[in-house]
Amino acid sequence: MAGRLRVVLDVDTGVDDAMALALATRLPGIELVAVTTVAGNVGIDNTTANTWRVLDWLGAGGVPIHRGLSRPLTGDAIDASHIHGASGLGGLVLPDPATDTQLRRPFAPEAIVDLVNAEPGALTLVFVGPLTNLAAAIALEPTLPSRIGRLVVMGGSLGRGNMTPYAEFNIGADPEAARQVFAACALTMVGLDVTQQVTVTRELSERLVGQTTPEATIVREATAHFFREGAVGSPHLHDPLAVGVALDPSLCTTKRGTVKIETATAWCAGRTTLEENADGPHEVCVTVDSARFLDLFTERLGLSG
Ligand code: RIB
Ligand code: CA
């Protein structure tokens, strides 16, 4: 369809990644060209299998999936299974698809290079996990950033982190990859400053009881554990908001400048600080029209019933 945003989505499927995949496949203005996976919320085997099952469950079994890196550029792999559950999908259990033809080679970094080079300036890359695959792609092809149409990153925070007091998880899980990507690319940063303002509410979760659509199943089952006594974390719609901003930047207001990534000290690694300047390469989202995004999310996923 003419005029659709051609998107490559890089995920560490987890709970909110699954909802981002659902939104990306249900927004008429988006054509999901390919999905790449990375280790993050859980290990690469699970993030890849989760992505495969979620896309098939959504009827998007034709979207190619390219498996990516299993560990950060430096340091040890960490995960967020205490938030997303051991599988990465909370209580959501999905069947294996009938075929694995969706799982493709080359691995994610080379696939990103090939996809961008095939249509210079035409692709929107949306990254909602650690930036390891993109840093590796740029290491393979150092001129790649000039041919990326637009880059939207769910990550960072101008305030407190959610992994450490200073680091948001996607940045903190691979600070060196983030440093390399932010140094090389113009991008829109969709950080905790806005993503923590959009959340699946208990009311919405309860409204989905008995609904059997693929979308309702994903949202309800993947977030149910957040509503139990003593739950850790909240079902913030971090990754779905990045998809929304890719299609409709007006959902957020931004500040422009240069974002620096702290890597030197273990305690502050992954901290993102903005040096504001009018011609900087980075647009940082600072406010969000939460009501309008939540309406978009529930309406496009058919959850408004
Ligand atoms: O900090 C939130 C981000 O970290 C989200 O992308 C979530 O899926 C985790 O990857
Ligand atoms: Ca994610």
Side-chain angles (χ1 to χ4, degrees):
M1 189 191 304
R4 294 170 80 190
L5 201 66
R6 289 174 59 77
V7 169
V8 174
L9 185 57
D10 185 274
V11 293
D12 60 330
T13 306
V15 168
D16 57 325
D17 306 72
M19 294 189 282
L21 288 164
L23 187 61
T25 62
R26 295 302 188 263
L27 285 172
I30 284 184
E31 179 180 1
L32 192 55
V33 173
V35 176
T36 52
T37 64
V38 69
N41 288 318
V42 287
I44 189 65
D45 289 341
N46 277 7
T47 61
T48 303
N50 291 342
T51 302
W52 180 46
R53 293 181 182 118
V54 165
L55 282 174
D56 185 72
W57 183 252
L58 291 160
V63 177
I65 300 169
H66 297 271
R67 177 190 172 103
L69 275 74
S70 61
R71 51 170 300 126
L73 296 189
T74 59
D76 298 326
I78 59 168
D79 69 39
S81 54
H82 58 293
I83 301 284
H84 294 261
S87 73
L89 288 178
L92 176 63
V93 179
L94 297 177
D96 277 2
T99 73
D100 64 359
T101 54
Q102 193 171 5
L103 302 171
R104 304 283 177 80
R105 290 288 187 274
F107 288 114
E110 192 172 349
I112 292 164
V113 171
D114 292 348
L115 286 159
V116 170
N117 283 344
E119 39 188 312
L123 286 183
T124 295
L125 306 187
V126 182
F127 275 70
V128 297
L131 292 167
T132 317
N133 288 334
L134 185 50
I138 295 168
L140 286 172
E141 179 93 296
T143 61
L144 191 73
S146 67
R147 293 187 293 282
I148 297 172
R150 185 155 169 254
L151 173 61
V152 178
V153 170
M154 191 280 131
S157 172
L158 299 187
R160 282 183 63 85
N162 62 354
M163 176 183 145
T164 71
Y166 299 100
E168 177 279 325
F169 178 82
N170 287 339
I171 307 299
D174 195 343
E176 178 54 24
R179 186 194 65 76
Q180 293 180 20
V181 167
F182 276 69
C185 299
L187 57 87
T188 300
M189 182 178 113
V190 184
L192 299 181
D193 316 280
V194 292
T195 65
Q196 287 179 331
Q197 298 179 45
V198 287
T199 305
V200 175
T201 62
R202 182 185 297 273
E203 183 275 329
L204 173 58
S205 175
E206 288 169 354
R207 204 162 79 221
L208 300 180
V209 172
Q211 291 192 30
T212 57
T213 64
E215 301 90 337
T217 307
I218 288 171
V219 174
R220 181 185 65 246
E221 296 306 314
T223 62
H225 63 293
F226 289 109
F227 299 108
R228 292 199 190 109
E229 197 65 33
V232 174
S234 300
H236 295 306
L237 294 167
H238 303 290
D239 298 347
L241 181 58
V243 171
V245 168
L247 182 64
D248 181 358
S250 73
L251 282 166
C252 289
T253 65
T254 61
K255 286 181 178 175
R256 180 170 285 277
T258 302
V259 174
K260 296 293 175 77
I261 312 289
E262 167 66 45
T263 56
T265 60
W267 179 241
C268 295
R271 185 176 194 172
T272 48
T273 52
L274 172 63
E275 295 166 1
E276 280 194 72
N277 57 74
D279 53 8
H282 304 144
E283 281 200 285
V284 177
C285 295
V286 291
T287 68
V288 56
D289 186 337
S290 307
R292 185 155 69 89
F293 174 70
L294 289 167
D295 285 347
L296 175 74
F297 179 75
T298 53
E299 191 264 328
R300 294 316 314 166
L301 295 193
L303 308 178
S304 308

